[in-house]
């Protein structure tokens, strides 16, 4: 039995017992051999296709630990949605939207994205001025807030009663109780869930997202709440996979929110989804939920009050202790993990407390639960990640002091909390597993080389050193590679199939023109993708 393909290059295996190699042989989509070129040649014949990648470096296929592919595909379709991110004020956002509407006059609804929450808050009348007869909705860059015109509020039932039910922290109102058109968190997701996507459009969005991730070097991703932007997501995935065009292995959490009254029933429903939809390229592996929101929206849940709003500590989503204990216990019984959006330190602590109590009942059943984002973390909670085997899902690309966001952080949470945000090294030193994410399209910054660079330097490649945030939280290059490969596979319980280049594993590989472990770090940050390989097939090349 001979190899179907032979890949030659500088191979980084991420296997500690055999860290480097010269060749990878592939047969039937799996790794047939990893080692010296000389031995690899003996496993080939005249039918073996040889792909010589020269001095380029072959890595295990990189993996994204938290993103939103359906939303990504829609966002990347510039004809379908209006991107207002080039604007720098509410007035500029409206001007960009007006131009988009003028170019697409026949739409029944207008959806856009990319506005930033600033000191001046948006109101519906500003959007009414450019379109009053059709629903208009603009999402913030972080995806947690939305700006609606009056017609959109009418269509989606956002009136005084609804505003009162949601509360002023998530549905802003005028003095008479009328919604202003500016909402955050749960009302946003309630409205997005009502926006229906037909199967063909959904498949197109997934394929667009797939091409994007392949073009960045990713071979597998985690869909953090597949129903977040589309209730029929499982059917869309099934259609995409059935057509044979979707090969971006996607692991997903099914959404359970804070209003769920039957946690056990909701988890049981996910087992039904698993039985119906799980396949090679799409697997539902557990639950996704939200504990809070985001600092820039004043919706992250903090232990101490916001500096600019005395007495106010943020928005609590699924943080009820008894519900969380039930969720972690039920998920463990059904062999699932729980993946939670946790930005504020109180949101993080609530989940760790619940996991600790649930563990006493379940025996920790190797869930590999995950807390994602981890912007504000108390030092005395970090060791608990290791003790409870909780994945710390972090975003190195968020760590630099962003010129737009950092001053806002300082204003909202104070300089000390802003300076110490987004720890990474502390998790690793405590013995916890770290996995990297971008949260695309919530965050538009997607770059594997710059992820490596920011993990090591705590600032972007080529940026001002003054942008460095808490330099003591840097990690090594090898730890950064682990956060993009083997640790993500471990989180998904796929370490026997993915994450390293070893015999018998799936032949997913990513090739860059630099060695991330040994080349000059400044060059690493600017390195280029050569190709992305899935199941031994090149699915993207420059």
């Amino acid at each position: 039995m001979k190899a179907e393909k032979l890949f030659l290059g500088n191979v980084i295996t991420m296997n500690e017992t055999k860290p480097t190699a010269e060749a990878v042989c592939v047969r039937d989509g799996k790794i047939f051999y990893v080692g010296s070129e000389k031995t690899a040649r003996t496993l080939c014949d005249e039918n073996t296709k040889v792909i010589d990648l020269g001095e380029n470096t072959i890595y295990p296929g990189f993996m994204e630990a938290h993103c939103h592919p359906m939303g990504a595909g829609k966002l990347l379709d510039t004809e379908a949605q209006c991107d207002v991110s080039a604007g720098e004020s509410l007035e500029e956002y409206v001007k960009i939207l007006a131009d988009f509407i003028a170019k697409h006059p026949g739409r029944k609804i207008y959806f856009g994205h990319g506005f930033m929450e600033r000191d001046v808050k948006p109101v519906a009348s500003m959007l009414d001025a450019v379109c009053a007869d059709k629903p208009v909705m603009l999402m913030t860059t972080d995806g947690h807030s939305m700006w609606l015109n009056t017609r959109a509020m009418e269509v989606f039932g956002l009136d005084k009663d609804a505003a009162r039910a949601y509360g002023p922290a998530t549905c802003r109102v005028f003095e008479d109780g009328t919604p202003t058109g500016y909402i955050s968190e749960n009302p946003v997701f309630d409205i997005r869930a009502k926006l229906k996507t037909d199967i063909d459009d959904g498949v197109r969005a997934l394929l667009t997202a797939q091409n994007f991730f392949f073009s960045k070097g990713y071979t597998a991703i985690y869909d953090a709440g597949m129903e977040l932007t589309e209730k029929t997501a499982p059917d869309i995935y099934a259609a995409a996979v059935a057509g044979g065009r979707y090969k971006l292995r996607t692991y997903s959490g099914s959404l359970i929110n804070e209003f769920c009254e039957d946690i056990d029933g909701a988890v049981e429903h996910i087992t039904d989804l698993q039985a119906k939809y799980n396949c090679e390229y799409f697997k539902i592996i557990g639950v996704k939920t939200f504990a809070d929101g985001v600092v820039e929206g004043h919706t992250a849940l903090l232990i101490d009050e916001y500096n600019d709003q005395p007495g106010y500590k943020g928005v609590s989503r699924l943080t009820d202790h008894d519900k969380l204990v039930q969720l972690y216990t039920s998920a463990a019984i059904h062999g699932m993990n729980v993946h939670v959006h946790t930005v504020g330190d109180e949101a993080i602590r609530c989940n760790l407390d619940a996991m600790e109590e649930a563990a006493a009942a379940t025996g920790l059943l190797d869930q590999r639960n995950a807390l994602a984002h981890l912007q504000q973390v108390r030092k005395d909670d970090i060791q608990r990640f290791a003790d409870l085997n909780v994945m710390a899902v972090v975003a190195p690309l968020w760590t630099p002091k962003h010129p737009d966001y950092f001053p806002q952080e300082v204003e909202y949470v104070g300089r000390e909390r802003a300076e110490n945000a987004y720890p990474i090294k502390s998790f690793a030193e405590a013995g916890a597993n770290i996995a990297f994410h971008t949260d695309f399209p919530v965050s538009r910054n997607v770059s594997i080389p710059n992820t490596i660079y920011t993990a090591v330097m705590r600032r972007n490649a080529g940026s001002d050193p003054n942008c460095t945030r808490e330099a003591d939280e840097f990690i090594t290059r090898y730890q950064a590679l682990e956060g993009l490969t083997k640790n993500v596979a471990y989180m998904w319980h796929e370490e026997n199939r993915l994450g390293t280049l070893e015999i018998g594993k799936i032949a997913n590989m990513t090739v860059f023109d630099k060695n991330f472990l040994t080349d000059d770090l400044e060059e690493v940050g600017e390195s280029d993708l050569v190709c992305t390989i899935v199941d031994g097939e090149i699915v993207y090349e420059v």
Side-chain angles (χ1 to χ4, degrees):
M1 187 166 60
K2 298 296 183 178
E4 294 171 350
K5 294 186 181 69
L6 168 61
F7 292 91
L8 300 174
N10 173 34
V11 182
I12 306 295
T13 68
M14 298 306 293
N15 175 1
E16 293 179 2
T17 62
K18 191 177 183 178
T20 61
E22 300 171 329
V24 179
C25 293
V26 174
R27 184 177 180 86
D28 296 327
K30 294 185 178 180
I31 297 172
F32 187 55
Y33 169 79
V34 181
S36 70
E37 179 181 351
K38 181 178 180 181
T39 301
R41 294 281 187 183
T42 68
L43 300 172
C44 302
D45 59 18
E46 67 279 4
N47 296 315
T48 302
K49 182 178 181 180
V50 179
I51 300 96
D52 190 343
L53 294 161
E55 297 299 314
N56 295 312
T57 302
I58 304 171
Y59 304 90
F62 291 117
M63 294 178 280
E64 160 64 273
H66 179 114
C67 65
H68 305 281
M70 194 78 70
K74 294 176 181 179
L75 179 145
L76 291 165
D77 185 349
T78 57
E79 288 300 304
Q81 297 186 6
C82 177
D83 184 352
V84 302
S85 59
E88 295 184 357
S89 68
L90 297 183
E91 291 75 16
E92 289 184 13
Y93 299 144
V94 172
K95 174 63 169 62
I96 294 170
L97 174 66
D99 291 343
F100 182 86
I101 291 173
K103 293 177 182 177
H104 305 86
R107 299 284 173 83
K108 295 180 179 179
I109 188 169
Y110 292 98
F111 195 88
H113 53 84
F115 87 87
M116 288 182 60
E117 291 167 302
R118 303 176 190 271
D119 293 335
V120 180
K121 302 305 181 185
V123 293
S125 59
M126 296 182 71
L127 298 180
D128 294 343
V130 296
C131 184
D133 61 332
K134 299 176 182 178
V136 177
M137 294 165 285
L138 288 180
M139 296 291 300
T140 49
T141 53
D142 59 32
H144 282 256
S145 293
M146 183 185 284
W147 179 10
L148 304 92
N149 70 347
T150 301
R151 181 57 182 153
M153 290 193 288
E154 293 171 350
V155 168
F156 294 107
L158 195 63
D159 54 17
K160 286 185 178 181
D161 291 338
R164 191 179 305 112
Y166 284 124
T170 59
C171 186
R172 286 73 172 181
V173 296
F174 295 112
E175 289 185 2
D176 66 353
T178 302
T180 65
Y182 174 42
I183 60 176
S184 300
E185 303 308 328
N186 204 64
V188 173
F189 300 119
D190 283 351
I191 287 177
R192 295 200 71 176
K194 296 174 182 177
L195 299 172
K196 302 301 181 184
T197 302
D198 67 35
I199 296 295
D200 288 342
D201 287 344
V203 170
R204 184 163 55 253
L206 282 182
L207 295 177
T208 299
Q210 171 180 255
N211 291 339
F212 173 82
F213 284 110
F214 283 164
S215 76
K216 298 296 182 179
Y218 288 101
T219 60
I221 62 172
Y222 177 79
D223 184 338
M226 60 181 177
E227 304 97 342
L228 200 57
T229 57
E230 182 49 60
K231 288 287 187 183
T232 59
D235 290 319
I236 294 172
Y237 273 112
V241 172
R245 294 177 292 168
Y246 194 76
K247 297 294 180 69
L248 177 66
R249 282 181 173 80
T250 300
Y251 299 82
S252 182
S254 183
L255 198 63
I256 292 179
N257 68 26
E258 63 267 38
F259 299 108
C260 179
E261 295 299 333
D262 181 8
I263 295 291
D264 290 338
V267 172
E268 186 68 38
H269 172 66
I270 296 174
T271 66
D272 294 338
L273 295 177
Q274 290 175 319
K276 182 177 180 180
Y277 293 103
N278 280 13
C279 61
E280 179 61 33
Y281 296 101
F282 174 65
K283 290 184 179 179
I284 303 165
I285 61 174
V287 178
K288 163 67 192 304
T289 192
F290 289 83
D292 66 345
V294 291
V295 167
E296 62 270 19
H298 281 106
T299 54
L301 185 61
L302 305 177
I303 292 174
D304 296 326
E305 63 189 13
Y306 280 81
N307 274 33
D308 64 324
Q309 293 190 22
Y312 175 73
K313 298 182 180 181
V315 172
S316 174
R317 297 200 62 186
L318 184 47
T319 55
D320 178 85
H321 180 73
D322 292 340
K323 271 191 176 182
L324 281 174
V325 172
Q326 186 179 12
L327 176 62
Y328 283 110
T329 302
S330 186
I333 291 170
H334 288 87
M336 299 180 192
N337 74 1
V338 180
H339 189 114
V340 191
H341 170 110
T342 49
V343 169
D345 46 13
E346 177 63 17
I348 294 163
R349 182 165 290 179
C350 286
N351 277 273
L352 293 172
D353 288 347
M355 274 186 261
E356 198 164 45
E357 184 171 327
T362 65
L364 275 178
L365 298 183
D366 197 22
Q367 280 180 273
R368 307 177 194 180
N369 296 315
L371 299 185
H373 309 323
L374 306 175
Q375 183 171 350
Q376 296 293 321
V377 190
R378 291 296 176 106
K379 290 184 178 179
D380 52 353
D381 280 330
I382 286 177
Q383 184 60 49
R384 301 173 74 191
F385 279 76
D387 296 343
L388 294 165
N389 195 27
V390 180
M391 299 295 304
V393 180
V394 296
L397 291 169
W398 296 2
T399 58
K401 296 177 181 177
H402 192 282
D404 289 324
Y405 286 113
F406 187 72
Q408 189 179 50
E409 286 181 58
V410 173
E411 179 187 352
Y412 290 2
V413 302
R415 182 162 293 278
E416 182 178 357
R417 282 189 285 183
E419 291 278 3
N420 293 308
Y422 301 116
I424 298 180
K425 182 179 181 180
S426 293
F427 290 114
E429 288 189 334
N433 286 303
I434 55 174
F436 289 172
H437 78 294
T438 66
D439 205 12
F440 188 79
V442 172
S443 173
R444 311 292 178 84
N445 192 0
V446 181
S447 167
I448 288 169
N450 200 31
T451 294
I452 301 291
Y453 188 94
T454 54
V456 175
M457 297 298 290
R458 302 284 289 182
R459 61 180 173 85
N460 288 309
S463 68
D464 185 339
N466 290 325
C467 292
T468 303
R469 189 200 306 249
E470 189 52 64
D472 287 346
E473 285 293 333
F474 71 90
I475 58 175
T476 68
R477 301 189 197 196
Y478 190 81
Q479 287 173 315
L481 283 178
E482 288 181 313
L484 285 159
T485 56
K486 61 199 299 184
N487 288 358
V488 188
Y490 175 82
M491 179 170 70
W492 298 337
H493 292 264
E494 289 280 47
E495 67 270 26
N496 292 326
R497 303 201 318 144
L498 300 169
T500 62
L501 299 180
E502 299 179 67
I503 294 173
K505 290 194 174 184
I506 293 168
N508 282 2
M509 294 172 276
T510 306
V511 184
F512 275 90
D513 66 351
K514 299 295 180 184
N515 185 323
F516 294 161
L517 295 176
T518 60
D519 284 344
D520 180 86
L521 189 59
E522 298 300 325
E523 294 183 2
V524 166
E526 302 293 339
S527 61
D528 293 320
L529 179 71
V530 175
C531 64
T532 305
I533 300 162
V534 172
D535 300 335
E537 301 287 341
I538 295 176
V539 294
Y540 181 87
E541 60 183 325
V542 179

